[in-house]
Amino acid sequence: DVVTDLATSGWQLFPRAPTLADVILARSREPWVSLGLEGAEVASMRLGSIAILMGYPGAGKSTLAAALLREHATLHGPAVYFSLELDADELAARIVGMVAGRSWTDVLRGQVDVDYMRHALPARLVILDGVSAADKIDAVVDNVRAEHGDRPVLVAVDYIQLASGMGTELRQQIAAVAEALRLAAKRLRIVMLGVSQTSRGTGNALRRGELMGAETTTAGAESSAIERAAYITLAIGEASAPDDQGKQSVLVHVGKARFGGGDMALPMFYEGRTGRWTVAAAAVPAKDAKEAREAGKGDVARRTMIAAAEASEKPMSKTALRAASKTSREIADPALEQAIEDGALVKVGRGSYAPYWTPGRVATQPTRSWHDQD
């Protein structure tokens, strides 16, 4: 029978589960890799893991990946950046710009001292470009290990959709690339960072702040294969308008996290001109970030409606005030009721459909009996 066949064919030679305790103990001595910026940790990963960083076009995903690799090369061990989109010198210029506080066009035009550039680019950072660069992962990792010993290695592939894959359809190609990167991370005992474009729909939703935390896990283009491969997913979300210095507040979402800490939102700052990323505060549960965002939008809607009423030459209906807020009814209605409750808007007239105005505007109309109108 089947049991006898297995026994006589060496089934007893297969390892039993208790032997995995020794594997766990042996691997427990391996270092974990901290992905961080200026000493602030973004994620922590076991060797053999892969993180996926997703973002819509222009979100700054390549510069964030470059910043994470520069930090690793400076503080922890070798880092290898396979740039499949930018030329190697262009990515290096982006890194120099982050450190120098200059735009990468300034760097590319030779407006930063060459010795400063050499200082800004860590010796343990390797940058390779071209769409076939990712095929060299094994050889490059072997090379940096020969030079730097047993230091943990961090490798980035930017971006997955440009890497060569097997299959005639894009979905098959991306699935092949994601699986190849996952297997390379395990085989080489490195941490892999795969940069991924988002699909058009999820990219717009991220940009608008409609996806947060665990909702962002499937944001990558052809995301099912990417999600399966990832130990951690990071997604760049909604950004504020730039301030006078060009700095924006950005939420970076931790969606999937096999080792814990998922469904979180990490407040960060991004300076588009220089490409510099910094951590603004500790990560918070995505639920809390969403509630804070909705509360903030409601406050903006409330102030917008009050300002519109104050500027209006006549009282405004609720419909007109909602339209002035330029938000959904779910946000505008509570904001309007709050403004009425606070006395910032007052009803002008006695009927159910009487319009609203600010107390200041009512006070400036002593010759008209707005209060007597239905």
Side-chain angles (χ1 to χ4, degrees):
D1 58 20
V2 174
V3 174
T4 302
D5 291 343
L6 287 172
T8 59
S9 63
W11 170 253
Q12 66 274 15
L13 298 179
F14 287 92
R16 300 303 193 265
T19 64
L20 293 175
D22 297 320
V23 177
I24 293 171
L25 180 62
R27 291 208 60 197
S28 70
R29 302 184 182 98
E30 295 178 349
W32 283 50
V33 173
S34 174
L35 301 181
L37 296 171
E38 300 181 8
E41 187 171 88
V42 175
S44 180
M45 301 181 65
R46 190 184 189 214
L47 294 181
S49 304
I50 177 171
I52 301 295
L53 170 61
M54 299 173 282
Y56 48 87
K61 55 188 178 294
S62 294
T63 52
L64 177 53
L68 292 171
L69 262 70
R70 182 186 185 276
E71 178 101 349
H72 180 85
T74 301
L75 300 179
H76 306 300
V80 182
Y81 199 118
F82 292 101
S83 178
L84 311 186
E85 184 177 28
L86 295 176
D87 290 344
D89 63 329
E90 292 173 342
L91 185 65
R94 201 58 162 153
I95 295 172
V96 171
M98 297 176 201
V99 180
R102 303 285 294 272
S103 71
W104 68 327
T105 54
D106 286 349
V107 180
L108 290 170
R109 288 171 174 163
Q111 296 175 14
V112 175
D113 180 75
V114 66
D115 289 332
Y116 188 95
M117 287 194 282
R118 292 191 181 108
H119 170 75
L121 296 166
R124 291 191 296 201
L125 175 61
V126 176
I127 302 174
L128 298 174
D129 59 19
V131 293
S132 64
D135 298 335
K136 304 179 178 69
I137 288 177
D138 288 61
V140 176
V141 170
D142 287 345
N143 182 273
V144 297
R145 280 208 170 118
E147 184 176 351
H148 300 288
D150 59 356
R151 294 277 189 170
V153 181
L154 176 61
V155 174
V157 176
D158 182 12
Y159 53 92
I160 289 176
Q161 284 78 11
L162 285 179
S164 58
M166 298 176 60
T168 57
E169 296 182 358
L170 178 61
R171 185 183 300 272
Q172 293 176 323
Q173 293 176 12
I174 293 175
V177 170
E179 180 64 8
L181 295 180
R182 184 185 73 83
L183 293 176
K186 290 189 174 299
R187 181 178 68 253
L188 299 170
R189 284 288 186 266
I190 61 175
V191 167
M192 190 80 72
L193 176 63
V195 181
S196 173
Q197 289 275 26
T198 59
S199 65
R200 181 175 299 178
T202 54
N204 289 334
L206 278 171
R207 192 194 304 269
R208 294 191 296 264
E210 296 169 359
L211 296 177
M212 289 194 175
E215 299 169 341
T216 67
T217 301
T218 58
E222 307 297 339
S223 61
S224 58
I226 294 173
E227 178 193 355
R228 283 195 299 271
Y231 277 66
I232 293 177
T233 61
L234 303 170
I236 301 173
E238 185 179 21
S240 68
D243 63 16
D244 294 341
Q245 305 302 315
K247 181 185 289 187
Q248 298 171 279
S249 297
V250 184
L251 280 181
V252 174
H253 301 279
V254 183
K256 177 180 179 179
R258 288 187 182 177
F259 301 125
D263 200 19
M264 302 287 282
L266 178 65
M268 300 185 74
F269 291 124
Y270 176 52
E271 298 174 10
R273 182 181 67 85
T274 65
R276 184 183 180 211
W277 283 90
T278 52
V279 175
V284 298
K287 177 178 177 292
D288 294 349
K290 184 174 290 188
E291 289 176 353
R293 178 179 181 273
E294 293 303 311
K297 290 174 66 176
D299 184 59
V300 171
R302 175 182 172 277
R303 288 187 277 112
T304 301
M305 287 186 283
I306 294 170
E310 182 69 22
S312 177
E313 294 300 320
K314 60 181 181 179
M316 299 177 67
S317 67
K318 284 188 174 182
T319 300
L321 287 165
R322 290 189 196 103
S325 75
K326 297 181 179 179
T327 59
S328 67
R329 187 158 185 159
E330 290 75 17
I331 294 172
D333 277 358
L336 178 56
E337 293 306 315
Q338 186 64 53
I340 294 169
E341 183 180 333
D342 294 344
L345 294 173
V346 295
K347 183 182 285 189
V348 179
R350 294 189 297 269
S352 300
Y353 297 99
Y356 289 82
W357 224 0
T358 63
R361 292 297 285 167
V362 171
T364 63
Q365 302 293 330
T367 60
R368 300 190 65 177
S369 300
W370 295 104
H371 292 283
D372 296 333
Q373 294 187 7
D374 290 331

